[in-house]
Every structure is written in structure tokens, then in C-alpha cells.
Amino acid sequence: MDITKVRLHDLKSEVVNRRHSAVVLLENEAGQISLKTSVTTEEGVDAMALAEALLADAIRQLTRLPEYRTGKTSITVARDALDGAVEGA
């Protein structure tokens, strides 16, 4: 899977617990996949680092799917896939 664009929707943050969740939309050559993700971050994390952490959780979930678990199908992310990901999140 070649991920060409990443978008975050329904971003929610629990300041006290530093827990963040969002629906991560992954656009690829076949269409779009949406995954519910959540991460715990360091205090004061910036928006891009948060987007990268949520993307990492989405990729972790993808690698557990049967078509990716074997490693025969690779997952790549375009260099500019996260550009604009946090806008409107």
C-alpha cells in the first residue's frame, strides 16, 4: 500500500492524561482507509509530532491485518503525506 495522503478527523485530547485520539484517513491508490487511533504523548507535544504518532498507530494496526501481517505487501508513506493533516482536525 502506498499512502499518498493522511488526514485526521475528530481529534480529541485529554490534557490531564496526555491521551489523544483521532480517526486517521489514509488515502492510497485503491481509495481510502479509516482507522480509529489513540496515543499517549509527552506534555506539550506539537501538532506535527502528534500527527506522526497517530499515523504510527494507524500503521501498527494495518500491519496486523492478514494482507500485511506476512510482510509480502509493504506499506509506504509519501514524504508529503502528512502535509495539512492537522488542519481542521
Side-chain angles (χ1 to χ4, degrees), residues 1-86:
M1 170 188 298
D2 297 317
I3 299 168
T4 57
K5 189 72 177 165
V6 176
R7 298 186 195 281
L8 303 181
H9 289 280
D10 298 327
L11 180 61
K12 294 181 175 81
S13 297
E14 296 176 24
V15 177
V16 174
N17 300 328
R18 298 185 318 267
R19 191 83 181 149
H20 309 275
S21 63
V23 175
V24 176
L25 301 175
L26 306 173
E27 294 180 17
N28 61 64
E29 66 281 353
Q32 181 174 278
I33 296 172
S34 63
L35 296 162
K36 177 74 173 160
T37 62
S38 64
V39 296
T40 301
T41 63
E42 297 297 321
E43 188 174 336
V45 66
D46 68 39
M48 186 52 76
L50 178 56
E52 289 171 353
L54 291 165
L55 172 60
D57 187 51
I59 291 172
R60 178 195 62 78
Q61 291 179 48
L62 279 177
T63 61
R64 298 184 62 104
L65 295 174
E67 55 268 40
Y68 302 105
R69 189 179 321 147
T70 63
K72 292 180 182 176
T73 304
S74 64
I75 299 170
T76 60
V77 181
R79 178 171 280 139
D80 61 349
L82 279 170
D83 289 355
V86 293

